[in-house]
Amino acid sequence: MKVLIVEDNKIALMGIKKILSEYPNMEICAAENGLMALDLLNESTSELPYFTLLDLNMPIMNGIEFLKEIKKNESLKTIPIIVHTTSFNSLDIKICEELGIVGYFVKELDIVKYKSNLRLIADYWIESKRP
């Protein structure tokens, strides 16, 4: 089960990887910004990610720019995107929803809640992909 994490904060990325590494069948790919993520997806010769965790506030290509680009690509636009950000901005939420995300959650400061949220997301997508 391939998962793409698009996150520029190295500490946050390490934490996400640590939590998701609890799932033995999960292959974790990471990109520091939307442009790198698009390159990874376009170069991939294997299966598409089961889901993508996407930060919004990143350099070079932010999360909203990434969403706009991915939705233009017929082979990539069906990848489930879950926005994972610090932004409570209602305009960000509205734009992301209009661009077809499957979920939006604000990064928790409470590490227990944060881990719980990531596990819920992983559990949901694992169960939804079972034959």
Side-chain angles (χ1 to χ4, degrees):
M1 179 173 147
K2 185 192 262 185
V3 174
L4 175 60
I5 304 165
V6 188
E7 171 65 65
D8 65 318
N9 182 310
K10 293 186 186 324
I11 294 171
L13 180 58
M14 284 175 31
I16 295 166
K17 283 182 171 180
K18 183 176 180 185
I19 293 163
L20 295 182
S21 70
E22 297 170 5
Y23 297 86
N25 295 328
M26 195 170 285
E27 175 190 347
I28 302 167
C29 301
E32 294 177 14
N33 60 62
L35 189 58
M36 288 176 69
L38 280 175
D39 288 345
L40 274 174
L41 290 170
N42 286 319
E43 293 170 3
S44 177
T45 56
S46 61
E47 86 240 33
L48 292 175
Y50 272 36
F51 66 90
T52 296
L53 281 178
L54 175 66
D55 187 19
L56 289 185
N57 303 311
M58 298 177 291
I60 302 172
M61 178 185 279
N62 68 35
I64 291 174
E65 293 166 333
F66 171 79
L67 280 169
K68 288 177 180 176
E69 289 301 312
I70 202 169
K71 294 306 177 179
K72 292 178 191 175
N73 186 316
E74 286 299 315
S75 61
L76 302 177
K77 71 181 186 180
T78 60
I79 299 170
I81 309 286
I82 301 155
V83 173
H84 172 245
T85 186
T86 56
S87 175
F88 287 94
N89 185 316
S90 61
L91 183 57
D92 284 345
I93 296 168
K94 182 177 188 254
I95 291 169
C96 290
E97 287 174 345
E98 289 171 352
L99 289 168
I101 62 163
V102 297
Y104 188 106
F105 79 97
V106 177
K107 295 175 184 176
E108 287 281 347
L109 295 177
D110 179 324
I111 192 67
V112 173
K113 288 181 184 177
Y114 184 75
K115 287 180 179 181
S116 176
N117 285 342
L118 286 175
R119 288 183 183 120
L120 283 170
I121 290 167
D123 290 343
Y124 173 82
W125 287 103
I126 289 169
E127 287 301 315
S128 72
K129 296 294 183 176
R130 284 198 189 198

